[in-house]
Amino acid sequence: MSGSCDLDTRQALSSALGVVADMPGAVVHLDLSTVPFCDAASVAALVRASAALSGQGRRLLLHDPPYSLRKVVEMFPEECAALEVAA
């Protein structure tokens, strides 16, 4: 992914996550290295996508998430427990 994830791009993010959910494999990797910002609603969309994949016995693994995403996860750890960030 690239660009900010916010109100202006929420529909595109939802579409992209739908495509991600249809990708084959036990682990779906999502590169966020060129995403400078994710608002809370975008983080919630990522949580829903991760939970949906988990329900299929699969994982969504986030790579290089922006500071804003990490901050939301820090503020809402229980709500964001479904998110998995690569070390």
Side-chain angles (χ1 to χ4, degrees):
M1 291 178 41
S2 65
S4 291
C5 297
D6 54 25
L7 179 62
D8 293 335
T9 60
R10 198 162 292 145
Q11 186 62 36
L13 175 63
S14 292
S15 296
L17 291 175
V19 170
V20 166
D22 291 337
M23 296 176 93
V27 180
V28 177
H29 298 269
L30 187 57
D31 181 2
L32 300 173
S33 62
T34 59
V35 175
F37 176 78
C38 284
D39 68 6
S42 298
V43 175
L46 288 167
V47 168
R48 287 190 300 275
S50 183
L53 286 171
S54 180
Q56 300 171 7
R58 303 168 65 207
R59 295 169 44 212
L60 176 63
L61 186 57
L62 306 178
H63 295 270
D64 298 314
Y67 174 79
S68 55
L69 185 148
R70 293 190 314 266
K71 196 64 176 172
V72 170
V73 170
E74 183 180 302
M75 291 187 313
F76 302 101
E78 290 180 26
E79 292 83 351
C80 297
L83 292 181
E84 185 177 356
V85 176

